[in-house]
């Protein structure tokens, strides 16, 4: 009895110690201020984001509001483009690719050809006179509380700065304190890199207005100071003196309402937001922020152990990981950081994260900082369901609804078809037509791929009402493809033409990727219509079309063919591996049903090699996890988590000092895709069963995960030691039948909603 009690106390002490270690470890930490944007630390609440540099003499906080873009409401479709569809197809059939591309460039592309840039909003500057000589500097991003923190000492006075962006109160908050009364003095002002800007300072507030060049949008941002010190106006800046604490609240808005309406009143919106917090103290706002954030963040926990490297600054950890990839806690941090970025950039009511998420500091950002739908937008959402952030998926569903409206116009004008279509790139005005260049802009699978996210959300949640509400979006996308598919005169198969295999090979007829995604959508519609007991005739029509679609083929090199013709080059190491879509995120190619195709897909991946840009590395990690080769996946993870800016490391891709993914430059999809690949090593549920530790690498031999989700409406927690499963707990949310698989053993059992089921490492059921 006494021994049991002692063991219990020891276990409790261990858990307390682990919890403290875990909390300390789930931070990005630095001992110097940021000099570059990719060293600054991101915060966000879905629509208002910022990059915090953490300077001492001058703090710089660069901020964004998600609806500030160039351009104006616009229909990108090319009227009459459909008149040239048959001719383009015939040219491709005749092997005249150049002529087909030239004709498509002239007659088939969007109007205008290029899309519109996402814009930075402005900057907060805070000057601290007399802080040139400082000590004990620390800069962190606490991803368990979503707060950026800076602390240091000047002489014997300790200064601290907290910055966060609150979702419940819709404001960004900067809270400054000093350990000595009346020791805090500073100047603060707003600015922007836009040419057309105005600044108005009054009382304890300052307002910045920016007008976008080449566009109809304007943005308004106001900062308001609450302090126990004295507030003055000096040289157009707010000057605070003799304070011990000060809190700056900021709100920002634009006149954007939706992709067709720009009649909003940003002044009114900003004023009402700031008025809504007038009666609230900083402590209450901070508490509401943390509670809201943790309601999402705390659902999922991941621990691979800590060998002490979590005490090292994050930038050094990234460098050290390149040399010696033995930092298991960094892997867990990377997953949780991706979840942090998702919560910060995709909340109900917000827009989806762009290529750069919510964060952009350039008037002309890379690739317009837009929504690239030939993988990058979808990759952003790969970890959402499995890491228990289902609500964060909602902005993507809103996006799909928007694009189905503009995409229906494009379907009609470009393809003489019903339903809707979206090509490879979209901006805030929801242009769905092919953009930029015909050799890569005419890509047809975007609508079908986006619809797979609707289906995945249903599979993970088993929310039948959600499926019923969103089924028309999937059905209308399938309607387009059912009319668009074209009978290839050379083979007799139905093919996708014209199109391309992103972003390689130019304009072609019948890329493998298209057929895989369209086939998956049709199968989804057949299954969904049966669940909802609707649309029987259309479902039957798709059943007759499915076997007519050109199948996956194995080429002369043993590879999965990327095109109809067997022309893959084994020496081609292109970053895109689009024809493996059916391996991941699809499931049409798998070891159980199509082992030969799985072997060919693996051969294709071998040929493409292990190098790649950030998001490409992330995709390959998911591939190797599906191939159940955890050590190969971990090898790529080593590259993804290595420093992006070390000259002697002659490999593209990697991570910046703030753990942002480097394409390069920064693209956030690698963060999200890398996280999903790590979780894919631990659990896979795409084949109507839950496989535990299917691709566990040797480097992650010990670990615990809780709150990880599986298709079928299940939430799991499990532990492993020395690469051997120890115990499993399954929470059934929907009462579906469950199948667990581990180490060639399978157990099937019925479940009830809300009930937990426990098993040991041999999958023996426990009471």
């Amino acid at each position: 009895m006494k021994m049991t009690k002692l063991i219990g106390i020891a276990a409790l002490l261990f858990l307390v110690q682990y919890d403290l270690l875990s909390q300390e470890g789930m931070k990005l930490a630095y001992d110097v201020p940021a000099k570059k944007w990719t060293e600054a630390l991101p915060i966000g609440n879905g629509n208002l984001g910022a990059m915090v540099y953490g300077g001492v003499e001058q703090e710089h906080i660069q901020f964004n509001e998600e609806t500030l873009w160039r351009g104006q409401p616009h229909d990108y479709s090319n009227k009459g483009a459909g008149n040239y569809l048959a001719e383009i197809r015939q040219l491709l059939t005749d092997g005249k690719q150049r002529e087909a591309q030239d004709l498509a460039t002239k007659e088939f592309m969007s109007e205008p050809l290029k899309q519109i840039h996402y814009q930075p909003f402005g900057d907060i500057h805070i000057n601290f006179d007399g802080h040139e000589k400082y000590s004990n500097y620390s800069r962190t991003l606490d991803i368990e509380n979503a707060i950026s923190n800076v602390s240091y000492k000047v002489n014997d006075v300790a200064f601290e700065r907290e910055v966060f962006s609150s979702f419940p109160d819709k404001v960004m908050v900067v809270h400054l304190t000093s350990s000595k009364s009346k020791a805090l003095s500073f100047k603060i002002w707003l600015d922007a890199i836009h040419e057309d800007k105005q600044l108005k300072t009054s009382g304890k507030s300052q307002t910045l207005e920016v007008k976008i060049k080449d566009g109809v949008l304007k943005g308004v941002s106001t900062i308001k100071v609450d302090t126990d010190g004295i507030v003055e106006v000096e040289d157009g800046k707010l000057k605070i003196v003799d304070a011990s604490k000060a809190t700056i609240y900021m709100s920002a808005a634009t006149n954007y309402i939706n992709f067709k309406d720009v009649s909003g009143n940003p002044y009114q919106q900003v004023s009402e937001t700031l008025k809504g917090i007038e009666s609230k103290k900083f402590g209450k706002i901070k508490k509401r922020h943390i509670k809201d954030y943790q309601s999402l963040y705390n659902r999922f926990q991941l621990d691979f152990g800590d060998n002490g490297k979590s005490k090292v600054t994050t930038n050094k950890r990234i460098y050290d990981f390149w040399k010696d990839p033995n930092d298991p806690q960094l892997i867990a941090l990377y997953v949780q950081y991706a979840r942090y970025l998702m919560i910060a950039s995709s909340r109900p009511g917000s827009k989806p994260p762009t290529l750069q998420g919510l964060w952009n500091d350039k008037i002309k950002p890379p690739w317009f900082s837009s929504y690239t739908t030939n993988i990058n937008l979808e990759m952003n959402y790969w970890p959402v369901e499995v890491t228990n952030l289902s609500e964060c998926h909602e902005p993507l569903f809103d996006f799909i609804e928007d694009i189905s409206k503009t995409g229906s116009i494009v379907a009609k004008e470009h393809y003489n078809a019903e339903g809707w279509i979206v090509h490879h790139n979209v901006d805030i005005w929801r242009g769905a037509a092919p953009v930029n260049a015909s050799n890569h802009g005419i890509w047809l699978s975007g609508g079908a791929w986006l619809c797979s996210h609707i289906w995945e959300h249903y599979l993970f949640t088993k929310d039948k009402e959600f499926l019923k509400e969103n089924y028309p979006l999937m059905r209308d996308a399938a309607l387009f493809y059912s009319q668009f598919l074209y009978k290839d005169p050379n083979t007799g198969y139905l093919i996708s033409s014209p199109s391309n295999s992103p972003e390689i090979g130019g304009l072609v007829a019948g890329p493998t990727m298209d057929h895989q995604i369209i086939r998956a959508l049709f199968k989804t519609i057949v299954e969904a219509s049966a669940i909802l007991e609707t649309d029987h005739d259309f479902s039957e029509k798709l059943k007759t079309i499915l076997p007519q679609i050109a199948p996956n083929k194995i080429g002369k090199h043993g590879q999965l063919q990327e095109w109809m013709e067997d022309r893959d080059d084994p020496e081609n190491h292109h970053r895109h591996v689009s024809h493996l879509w059916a391996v991941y995120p699809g499931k049409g190619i798998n070891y159980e049903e199509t082992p030969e195709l799985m072997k060919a897909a693996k051969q294709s991946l071998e040929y493409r090699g292990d190098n790649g840009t950030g998001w490409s590395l992330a995709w390959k990690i998911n591939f190797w996890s599906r191939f159940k080769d955890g050590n190969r996946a971990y090898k790529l993870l080593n590259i993804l988590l290595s420093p992006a800016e070390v000259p002697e490391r002659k490999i593209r891709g990697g991570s910046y000092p703030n753990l942002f993914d480097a394409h390069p430059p920064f693209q956030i999809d690698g963060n999200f895709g890398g996280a999903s690949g790590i979780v894919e090593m631990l659990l896979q549920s795409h084949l109507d069963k839950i496989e535990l530790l299917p691709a566990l690498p040797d480097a992650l031999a010990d670990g615990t995960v809780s709150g990880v989700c599986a298709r079928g409406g299940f939430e799991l927690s499990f532990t492993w030691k020395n690469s051997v499963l120890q115990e499993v707990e399954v929470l059934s949310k929907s009462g579906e039948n469950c199948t667990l698989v581990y180490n060639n053993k399978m157990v099937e059992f019925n479940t009830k909603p809300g009930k937990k089921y426990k098993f040991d490492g041999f999958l023996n059921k426990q009471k």
Side-chain angles (χ1 to χ4, degrees):
M1 186 77 170
K2 185 180 290 186
M3 181 61 71
T4 304
K5 185 176 182 181
L6 287 173
I7 292 173
I9 292 172
L12 180 62
L13 289 173
F14 171 79
L15 287 172
V16 170
Q17 183 182 23
Y18 162 73
D19 190 50
L20 291 173
L21 243 175
S22 173
Q23 289 181 26
E24 187 64 29
M26 287 302 157
K27 291 181 179 180
L28 278 64
Y30 308 84
D31 56 11
V32 294
K35 293 181 180 179
K36 301 178 181 178
W37 191 84
T38 48
E39 296 174 354
L41 297 175
I43 61 169
N45 66 0
N47 81 303
L48 182 59
M51 299 294 289
V52 184
Y53 281 69
V56 177
E57 300 163 71
Q58 185 180 90
E59 173 64 285
H60 176 203
I61 302 173
Q62 181 269 321
F63 65 94
N64 295 87
E65 200 279 343
E66 64 174 350
T67 62
L68 194 67
W69 290 64
R70 286 190 175 189
Q72 59 189 343
H74 181 73
D75 173 14
Y76 282 93
S77 68
N78 186 338
K79 308 303 180 186
N83 295 331
Y84 298 90
L85 178 61
E87 186 176 353
I88 294 170
R89 282 174 165 168
Q90 188 60 51
L91 288 169
L92 291 173
T93 298
D94 295 341
K96 298 178 179 179
Q97 184 188 57
R98 174 56 61 186
E99 291 90 335
Q101 288 182 179
D102 289 345
L103 178 60
T105 298
K106 182 180 179 182
E107 305 291 354
F108 206 77
M109 302 302 290
S110 68
E111 293 184 343
L113 183 62
K114 299 291 184 179
Q115 286 187 321
I116 300 301
H117 301 80
Y118 177 45
Q119 297 290 276
F121 197 120
D123 304 270
I124 299 175
H125 297 286
I126 311 175
N127 271 8
F128 300 91
D129 292 336
H131 287 207
E132 294 84 4
K133 295 181 179 180
Y134 58 91
S135 62
N136 293 14
Y137 180 88
S138 172
R139 177 169 66 100
T140 63
L141 178 63
D142 179 356
I143 62 173
E144 291 193 332
N145 293 300
I147 295 176
S148 171
N149 181 280
V150 174
S151 63
Y152 58 91
K153 292 185 74 172
V154 176
N155 298 321
D156 62 341
V157 182
F159 293 91
E160 186 171 1
R161 193 180 312 149
E162 293 177 296
V163 188
F164 59 87
S165 192
S166 167
F167 178 73
D169 286 307
K170 308 302 180 188
V171 292
M172 190 170 78
V173 181
V174 183
H175 184 65
L176 307 102
T177 60
S178 64
S179 63
K180 184 178 179 181
S181 179
K182 297 187 178 182
L184 180 64
S185 298
F186 60 92
K187 290 181 181 178
I188 182 170
W189 69 98
L190 291 166
D191 201 356
I193 60 176
H194 296 283
E195 295 177 10
D196 192 342
K197 58 187 177 183
Q198 294 183 4
L199 202 60
K200 180 180 179 182
T201 309
S202 177
K204 296 182 178 181
S205 67
Q206 186 176 74
T207 296
L208 168 72
E209 179 183 318
V210 297
K211 291 184 179 179
I212 298 303
K213 185 178 182 180
D214 301 325
V216 297
L217 293 176
K218 65 179 180 180
V220 173
S221 175
T222 296
I223 55 172
K224 193 170 185 178
V225 180
D226 180 19
T227 180
D228 60 359
I230 300 169
V231 182
E232 303 170 343
V233 177
E234 183 178 287
D235 299 326
K237 302 171 183 177
L238 294 172
K239 181 179 180 180
I240 291 84
V241 296
D242 296 336
S244 59
K245 61 182 179 180
T247 307
I248 296 98
Y249 299 104
M250 189 191 79
S251 175
T254 76
N255 55 308
Y256 180 93
I257 293 179
N258 59 49
F259 68 92
K260 296 184 290 186
D261 186 350
V262 292
S263 64
N265 186 335
Y267 277 103
Q268 181 180 352
Q269 188 174 334
V270 166
S271 176
E272 289 177 353
T273 298
L274 291 175
K275 188 175 181 180
I277 62 168
E278 281 183 354
S279 61
K280 299 175 184 176
K281 299 292 186 182
F282 165 73
K284 182 178 180 180
I285 292 173
K286 179 182 175 181
K287 187 176 181 180
R288 274 166 53 87
H289 159 70
I290 294 174
K291 182 179 180 181
D292 166 76
Y293 171 77
Q294 290 187 343
S295 69
L296 294 170
Y297 177 83
N298 284 350
R299 296 173 183 172
F300 173 94
Q301 298 296 327
L302 181 63
D303 172 34
F304 294 126
D306 190 335
N307 59 7
K309 294 187 178 181
S310 63
K311 298 177 182 178
V312 179
T313 57
T314 304
N315 53 310
K316 188 175 187 306
R317 291 177 77 181
I318 295 169
Y319 184 86
D320 290 346
F321 195 79
W322 167 40
K323 300 291 187 179
D324 177 21
N326 179 27
D327 189 348
Q329 200 277 339
L330 180 62
I331 309 302
L333 175 65
Y334 193 80
V335 175
Q336 293 289 34
Y337 185 51
R339 296 180 73 245
Y340 166 83
L341 293 173
M342 178 54 63
I343 298 170
S345 63
S346 187
R347 299 295 294 270
S350 78
K351 305 294 179 287
T354 70
L355 273 174
Q356 282 74 35
L358 184 54
W359 303 276
N360 164 45
D361 66 331
K362 294 177 174 60
I363 295 292
K364 292 185 177 180
W367 308 286
F368 304 92
S369 190
S370 62
Y371 301 102
T372 304
T373 58
N374 66 11
I375 183 171
N376 312 96
L377 175 60
E378 293 89 350
M379 181 181 281
N380 285 354
Y381 285 93
W382 285 356
V384 169
E385 298 292 343
V386 73
T387 66
N388 222 329
L389 293 176
S390 195
E391 296 92 328
C392 292
H393 225 154
E394 289 186 25
L396 185 65
F397 305 141
D398 294 338
F399 175 95
I400 296 171
E401 185 173 359
D402 282 354
I403 207 70
S404 71
K405 297 172 184 175
T406 55
S408 66
I409 300 172
V410 174
K412 181 179 179 180
E413 295 292 345
H414 288 246
Y415 300 99
N416 308 306
E418 299 175 280
W420 64 276
I421 176 64
V422 58
H423 292 78
H424 93 294
N425 230 308
V426 181
D427 59 26
I428 199 169
W429 310 112
R430 302 301 183 248
V435 298
N436 298 342
S438 65
N439 64 338
H440 66 265
I442 300 177
W443 174 77
L444 277 297
S445 305
W449 194 344
L450 287 168
C451 284
S452 73
H453 283 261
I454 295 173
W455 183 239
E456 285 290 292
H457 180 77
Y458 167 73
L459 292 178
F460 274 93
T461 64
K462 288 297 180 175
D463 185 343
K464 194 171 179 179
E465 286 302 312
F466 168 84
L467 181 63
K468 182 178 180 180
E469 181 181 348
N470 289 275
Y471 173 79
L473 292 173
M474 296 193 298
R475 194 258 186 205
D476 287 350
L479 177 62
F480 167 80
Y481 294 110
S482 71
Q483 297 179 7
F484 162 76
L485 287 172
Y486 162 71
K487 189 172 183 178
D488 178 24
N490 296 324
T491 65
Y493 285 120
L494 293 178
I495 64 170
S496 171
S497 177
S499 190
N500 72 79
S501 188
E503 293 170 358
I504 177 175
L507 195 65
V508 297
T512 297
M513 182 193 207
D514 278 7
H515 302 152
Q516 292 175 350
I517 299 177
I518 294 168
R519 190 181 293 115
L521 175 62
F522 284 5
K523 290 180 178 179
T524 292
I525 295 300
V526 170
E527 192 170 345
S529 65
I531 293 168
L532 298 174
E533 298 179 345
T534 187
D535 229 359
H536 175 77
D537 290 345
F538 185 57
S539 175
E540 290 300 312
K541 179 181 179 181
L542 296 185
K543 288 179 183 179
T544 64
I545 294 175
L546 274 165
Q548 301 178 56
I549 299 174
N552 293 295
K553 296 172 67 177
I554 299 174
K556 60 189 175 184
H557 303 292
Q559 88 286 7
L560 185 71
Q561 287 184 198
E562 188 162 0
W563 298 280
M564 295 284 289
E565 305 83 12
D566 189 0
R567 58 185 181 91
D568 298 88
D569 180 1
E571 300 302 317
N572 184 348
H573 304 303
H574 197 277
R575 63 188 180 275
H576 275 270
V577 201
S578 303
H579 55 305
L580 304 194
W581 186 94
V583 176
Y584 188 96
K587 65 174 185 177
I589 296 177
N590 59 77
Y591 278 126
E592 292 187 9
E593 299 166 323
T594 57
E596 290 303 314
L597 290 175
M598 197 70 163
K599 181 180 178 182
K602 188 175 182 179
Q603 183 63 72
S604 289
L605 192 57
E606 289 279 10
Y607 284 142
R608 286 291 160 91
D610 288 343
N611 292 333
T613 56
W615 66 264
S616 176
L617 289 167
W619 199 0
K620 290 176 181 179
I621 291 168
N622 286 275
F623 283 142
W624 284 114
S625 294
R626 284 280 170 95
F627 289 133
K628 299 186 179 180
D629 190 339
N631 288 333
R632 187 69 171 267
Y634 195 85
K635 178 184 176 183
L636 271 69
L637 189 60
N638 174 214
I639 304 172
L640 184 65
L641 274 170
S642 294
E645 299 178 307
V646 176
E648 64 267 33
R649 181 178 173 266
K650 299 177 181 180
I651 297 176
R652 295 186 71 194
S655 295
Y656 291 110
N658 63 1
L659 266 182
F660 270 174
D661 167 68
H663 175 63
F666 163 54
Q667 281 189 198
I668 202 168
D669 40 35
N671 288 99
F672 296 133
S676 72
I678 294 166
V679 179
E680 199 74 13
M681 297 174 185
L682 310 179
L683 181 148
Q684 296 179 18
S685 63
H686 57 292
L687 296 178
D688 300 321
K689 59 186 177 182
I690 301 171
E691 296 185 72
L692 302 172
L693 306 180
L696 185 69
D698 294 339
L700 302 177
D702 301 324
T704 298
V705 63
S706 63
V708 63
C709 295
R711 295 166 184 86
F714 300 106
E715 185 177 311
L716 290 88
S717 300
F718 52 95
T719 301
W720 63 99
K721 188 173 180 61
N722 296 325
S723 300
V724 177
L725 185 68
Q726 301 295 305
E727 56 185 2
V728 189
E729 180 179 272
V730 180
L731 168 64
S732 176
K733 296 180 179 180
S734 59
E736 297 279 317
N737 294 337
C738 184
T739 302
L740 291 181
V741 177
Y742 172 69
N743 198 21
N744 296 320
K745 183 174 180 180
M746 178 185 295
V747 58
E748 300 178 68
F749 55 101
N750 299 325
T751 73
K752 294 181 179 180
K755 188 173 180 180
K756 295 181 179 179
Y757 303 85
K758 296 183 179 181
F759 301 84
D760 64 18
F762 300 98
L763 298 188
N764 296 313
K765 198 169 183 180
Q766 297 178 322
K767 293 184 179 180

